[in-house]
Amino acid sequence: MVINLRIKEVLNKGIISIDTNTSIYDAANLMKQHNIGFLPVVSNAKIIGVITDRDIVINAVANNCDCDQKIEDYINKNVIKIDYNREINEALDLMKQHKIKRILVVDNNKFIGILSLSDIIKVNEKQTLETIKIIWETDDKSRLKDAEIDEFYL
């Protein structure tokens, strides 16, 4: 267990975001350029959702969308946030509960960064692996039982 370690101590503050007027093509290229798979979506400096590489592939491209179409129809508006003064264990609990790999971090409701399982794994490998197992529950429990972290895509 991570003892007294706060989110702000491991937070990734390199914020890259997009607005709702961004095209699917431009969002995908931004992800490629920065080697990321997750973008917060903002409108008037307020977070209104997120979009992932999976959202683009499964919900847009696989449904033959026009890549010049705006992302607004494909964003996930169910945004999970946590205050940067909270403990990492609380973030892991939220990730387990919502089966997510990343969580938006706020300070006084202002978006300041993203906390991912990859960030947490650097400080607590064992607990992060348990979170990954819960997020990616599968029918093949024997595979997860002896899984190593590098077997999972973070």
Side-chain angles (χ1 to χ4, degrees), residues 15 23 68 79 81 87 95 100 121 139:
I15 301 172
S23 71
D68 290 326
V79 178
K81 300 180 252 181
E87 291 188 6
M95 290 175 176
I100 55 176
I121 206 168
D139 292 335

Side-chain angles (χ1 to χ4, degrees), residues 54-65 67 74:
R54 181 173 172 79
D55 294 328
I56 291 171
V57 171
I58 301 298
N59 299 327
V61 175
N63 288 318
N64 298 314
C65 77
C67 287
Y74 301 99

